[in-house]
Amino acid sequence: DGTRYHFTVKPTLNRLAQDRAEAMKAADVEVEIVKALSDAFMLRGEFCGVHIAPESPGDVGDEPEVRLVVLGPAHPHSGRSETSEARARAAEILADRGAGPRRFRNTLVFVAADRSLLDSLEQAVRSHWAWASIQRDSESLNLGPAELRQVEARVADAADAVRHRVAGAWQWTLVPAQPDPQGDIEWRAVKATGDGSIAARVWAKLAREEQVITQMAGTVLRMWLDRIPLWK
């Protein structure tokens, strides 16, 4: 305390936070990450709707409007592999709407976390949860004014870390395509990084690469129609 020191058997706040973080259950970590995702996608950009970590394909509606499906932490993606939990989950949602085959498959876009970045996000979530629990228990822990200020600062820092790591982790955009109407669905995985909200970054990436089109010139529309033998 200033230039004075005292000995105590009470663990330090750092040690208490570390113990609580390590004791946090994995299921609770996932719940907290999904909450952070909901906060991150409050700004949905140009998308007509955003679905956060759907538990089943039926949770994603089948409507003729472009929507973003945010895959949860249990379904990450890796750029080093052709297969991933994210791609398998996206394919499942794309094919099924819960009550039968999905009709408007070309309206869904998926975004998933990078597998290599989930560990650091989990650590940040555990730290935030631990410091927040200490703040809630401040009275029973008999914390002094200096300790309360330390806890408040750590809670704020940990919350910022969670927000930044969520924004950095959810960077993989999975776009389905079907060049041959009779062929299989093909998947394209692209990174959407940069400034702004995740939804805004994804939309901007899709718009630049013409994966989503909001306006089409008449000549371009005629070109596409002429590729299809609708009339002789």
Side-chain angles (χ1 to χ4, degrees):
D1 182 11
T3 59
R4 302 171 60 189
Y5 299 85
H6 66 275
F7 295 94
T8 177
V9 295
K10 185 173 67 173
T12 64
L13 290 178
N14 287 335
R15 180 64 185 183
L16 183 60
Q18 180 181 345
D19 291 343
R20 291 192 176 194
E22 293 175 353
M24 188 180 184
K25 297 179 180 179
D28 294 333
V29 173
E30 185 171 341
V31 169
E32 293 299 319
I33 292 178
V34 172
K35 288 181 181 178
L37 279 174
S38 299
D39 293 339
F41 283 93
M42 290 182 66
L43 299 176
R44 67 185 186 185
E46 299 293 330
F47 289 98
C48 294
V50 176
H51 303 273
I52 307 294
E55 296 184 1
S56 68
D59 293 336
V60 179
D62 192 19
E63 303 293 338
E65 53 189 21
V66 180
R67 284 160 297 124
L68 182 64
V69 180
V70 183
L71 301 177
H75 303 96
H77 183 71
S78 174
R80 300 178 180 179
S81 174
E82 291 295 327
T83 61
S84 67
E85 293 92 335
R87 187 169 294 186
R89 183 62 166 171
E92 180 184 1
I93 295 173
L94 189 72
D96 185 20
R97 59 186 174 93
R102 188 174 297 277
R103 294 179 60 200
F104 301 103
R105 298 184 182 183
N106 63 323
T107 64
L108 294 185
V109 178
F110 302 84
V111 61
D114 188 296
R115 188 195 312 277
S116 64
L117 300 177
L118 282 180
D119 287 343
S120 61
L121 171 59
E122 179 181 330
Q123 293 173 6
V125 167
R126 287 179 179 273
S127 178
H128 178 257
W129 182 87
W131 284 107
S133 70
I134 293 174
Q135 189 176 42
R136 291 192 300 268
D137 298 340
S138 59
E139 185 174 349
S140 61
L141 293 172
N142 195 26
L143 300 183
E147 292 174 317
L148 286 174
R149 289 193 296 270
Q150 179 186 356
V151 172
E152 290 174 359
R154 290 300 185 92
V155 169
D157 291 344
D160 286 341
V162 171
R163 284 192 292 269
H164 290 150
R165 292 182 187 182
V166 164
W170 265 260
Q171 59 179 237
W172 284 107
T173 303
L174 304 179
V175 185
Q178 192 175 19
D180 181 358
Q182 303 299 323
D184 296 332
I185 297 292
E186 297 180 3
W187 289 93
R188 185 165 179 261
V190 295
K191 281 189 176 182
T193 57
D195 299 328
S197 67
I198 304 176
R201 297 196 322 245
V202 171
W203 183 273
K205 182 71 173 181
L206 296 175
R208 284 195 301 269
E209 300 187 0
E210 295 188 343
Q211 296 294 319
V212 59
I213 299 174
T214 57
Q215 292 181 326
M216 181 179 288
T219 54
V220 177
L221 177 59
R222 176 61 187 267
M223 178 189 71
W224 283 104
L225 289 175
D226 286 344
R227 295 184 180 183
I228 306 171
L230 294 178
W231 47 76
K232 297 295 184 183

